[in-house]
Amino acid sequence: MVRYINVKSRHRNEFIDITEDVANAAKEAGVKSGICYIYVPHTTAAITINEGADPSVQRDIQQALTRLIPHEYNYSHREGNADAHIKSTLVGVSHYVLVDEGKLVLGTWQSIYFCEFDGPRHRRVAMKFIASEKCIEPRK
Amino acid sequence: MVRYINVKSRHRNEFIDITEDVANAAKEAGVKSGICYIYVPHTTAAITINEGADPSVQRDIQQALTRLIPHEYNYSHREGNADAHIKSTLVGVSHYVLVDEGKLVLGTWQSIYFCEFDGPRHRRVAMKFIASEKCIEPRK
Amino acid sequence: MVRYINVKSRHRNEFIDITEDVANAAKEAGVKSGICYIYVPHTTAAITINEGADPSVQRDIQQALTRLIPHEYNYSHREGNADAHIKSTLVGVSHYVLVDEGKLVLGTWQSIYFCEFDGPRHRRVAMKFIASEKCIEPRK
């Protein structure tokens, strides 16, 4: 079973906090201990886990990416979003989170962000859970 | 059990579409629902998932990486492939894909690419599958 | 169950080889075949898998990251570590390693590095293991 979060971006470059959606999906899946697999089925978006307390961090990440990978450039791809594809590869579309005692194992400052690089668009984030208790083999 | 795909690159920088090989391995593994773990056991190569429809996207990604990480530079590593090591870290050697109803859960435009940064070489891509049906614990 | 490795960095930017710690944790977990999930619960650090033989590779990666993402810059985030947050997103906080026959499946030259971008600090690396033998469903 694959679970989906619907995301609606409003800007070309935008980070959208999906931590709560992922936490709710983990609760619904009933996983006590295991892995939460997050996957973006798009080629101009990505997933990152980074600071959630100060929104300026997200802006700094977005601006650094745009400084390194400018929107306007002599790209071969003619759809005007080559920069978004490149950013997607640099940030990555698959990142997991550990689950323990029914909760996502996130650091104090960590939030999970859907990274939009070619918005505004309607997007989906796919998730799957594996519970480890039934999989781990005992030592002997 | 670890499965391997053999890849033969022909250029220094080259993306090789391994989507079908991964899909076939998933079929052979007989996984209906689970995770396909892809892993590159090399230090000058990587895995990315990005657009497969227009080959110019791959070229744009490769060129952006080379613009940011030039081949010739004042590197400490004396084997002439420091750039390839750096690109490997930026793109990453471990990326998974979800499996559902016996098929890879890929977005419409997504293909899986082996990224060669120090070819031509003979390479291997390792894969492992975990089926989730037997692992997910019911809610109660 | 989540296992932790304690890491103590001594420099602002530093790669710390945790391969042996991860291998020991895999042995302790008693996993013969499966996945080792490595996760950094910090927002100014990351995990990478790259060459362990020549330490100059680590320096080249660190220097390339710092050249692309300078420490001093007109960042919005006022804590003086915006660069470290950006590097964390580029390198990534979640990377897995396959386990087979009780051992980490690493390429000949691969080592696992904790990447410190805002040291010196005391850090933790979280790990979880899933054994695949009990999860893989047979072909028929």
Side-chain angles (χ1 to χ4, degrees), chain C residues 74-119:
Chain C
N74 186 25
Y75 297 115
S76 305
H77 186 55
R78 297 305 190 100
E79 295 177 20
N81 60 0
D83 59 327
H85 286 289
I86 300 163
K87 290 175 178 179
S88 174
T89 280
L90 287 177
V91 178
V93 297
S94 77
H95 288 292
Y96 57 80
V97 175
L98 310 186
V99 180
D100 196 47
E101 298 181 0
K103 287 183 184 159
L104 304 179
V105 179
L106 291 171
T108 316
W109 307 105
Q110 285 184 322
S111 293
I112 306 166
Y113 289 99
F114 172 83
C115 307
E116 174 65 81
F117 298 128
D118 190 28

Side-chain angles (χ1 to χ4, degrees), chain A residues 37-39 76-77 128 135, chain B residues 33 37 54 60 96 110 135:
Chain A
Y37 301 89
I38 308 170
Y39 186 83
S76 306
H77 186 55
K128 218 166 158 48
C135 304
Chain B
S33 175
Y37 301 90
D54 179 0
D60 284 336
Y96 57 79
Q110 285 184 322
C135 304

Side-chain angles (χ1 to χ4, degrees), chain B residues 104-139:
Chain B
L104 305 178
V105 179
L106 291 171
T108 316
W109 307 106
Q110 285 184 322
S111 295
I112 306 167
Y113 289 100
F114 173 83
C115 307
E116 174 65 78
F117 298 128
D118 190 29
R121 282 176 188 253
H122 285 89
R123 303 285 205 174
R124 293 199 310 167
V125 177
M127 276 172 306
K128 219 166 157 47
F129 294 90
I130 291 191
S132 55
E133 295 87 347
K134 302 211 169 166
C135 304
I136 282 291
E137 21 172 31
R139 190 69 198 264

